[in-house]
Amino acid sequence: MKAITVEPQKAGTARFEDVPEPHVHEGSVLVQAIATGVCGTDVEIVEGKYGWAPAGKDRLVLGHESLGRVIEPDPTGWVKEGDLVVGIVRRPDPVPCPNCAVGEWDMCRNGQYTERGIKQIDGYMSERWRIEPDYAIKIDPSLGLLGVLLEPTTVVAKAWEQVELIGSRYFWAPRTVLVTGAGPIGLLAAMIGTQRRLEVHVLDRVKSGAKPELVRALGATYHTEKVTDIGFEPDVIIECTGVGAVINDCIHQVGSGGIVCLTGVGSGGAGGHRVTADLAAGAVLKNKVVVGSVNGNKRHWFKGGEALARADHNWLSRLISRREKPEKFAHALEREANDIKVVIQFCEA
Ligand SMILES: [Zn+2]
């Protein structure tokens, strides 16, 4: 079969090539790939900045945002032939740490977790892949190709859960949420905000095109000004840009008792002791909380699947802005002006 593979930590090594069929030790469920989403992590791996090959191998099969159809079910009958499934990305560390031991691999303490398509396990950008039944998430069949959006949705399902857990420490009746960044993560975070019947605002520097249209179609308000110029103090901010200056503005702008949830990782920007002191003043005097959120455990995959099934499928379909064939993977990894979520499509859903 064919797969998109890369030699991690070495730029220019990605190729679409013949590889052996997936080995049964990778899982009892055999899946025909339908599509894989492309994200910034895939680009970083192809650029040689991130990623680890499986033990004893030089190359890694890329891809962690999956969707496929079961062609060989597992003996327990949990997934059946023809089911649409998405594969969970992270696997618990082998020690395991206390969190991995209880299935909270998203909170792994020792960093020895592995991840399909990223860290030491082959990913999902192959014509067929195998998976353990416990890590195959069945999706609502009506979603079809839209199921490829599940992995990014799990990220925001966890972020919202973190916000609610922190909010439960006191009397909390949030009304407004600001989402910074209108990429796939930001738009999905906004979608979940509207499902929670909050007043949703989304801020991005792009002034026209699909992003503002998608935000307005949610019934939310689109902003292009600076975070500190939006004219109100949000109860919740879901930060999806990872840009230092935007993060600083979010911490400043969030209301008293508010929560800033960081989902993006960036670098640089204004920093130093002044920012740390401002953060401390907001946290102490105004009960503000800044929390980071990464990955998701099985509960978040389940919640993400529910959020997608409940969403307007027509709106979700507009998030998939471009589909490419696997042999055109290099083009799929290039950023184009109107891209939101680019998917590599192996076959029809
Ligand atoms: Zn762990």
Side-chain angles (χ1 to χ4, degrees), residues 92-94 96-101 104-105 107-113:
D93 80 76
C97 76
N99 292 76
C100 284
E104 294 178 347
W105 53 72
M107 306 300 270
C108 180
R109 305 246 201 112
N110 64 24
Q112 293 178 44
Y113 60 81

Side-chain angles (χ1 to χ4, degrees), residues 166-235:
I166 293 164
S168 70
R169 73 193 171 133
Y170 60 118
F171 176 79
W172 194 57
R175 196 177 60 81
T176 54
V177 56
L178 172 70
V179 176
T180 49
I185 295 283
L187 289 166
L188 289 165
M191 178 192 87
I192 293 184
T194 60
Q195 289 181 347
R196 281 165 166 65
R197 303 193 182 285
L198 295 172
E199 181 188 309
V200 178
H201 298 256
V202 179
L203 185 146
D204 195 287
R205 58 187 172 182
V206 173
K207 291 195 165 57
S208 60
K211 288 179 175 181
E213 284 166 22
L214 282 161
V215 169
R216 285 180 200 120
L218 278 178
T221 308
Y222 192 78
H223 298 262
T224 54
E225 66 271 35
K226 267 171 68 80
V227 172
T228 46
D229 292 335
I230 57 171
F232 68 101
E233 296 182 348
D235 298 314

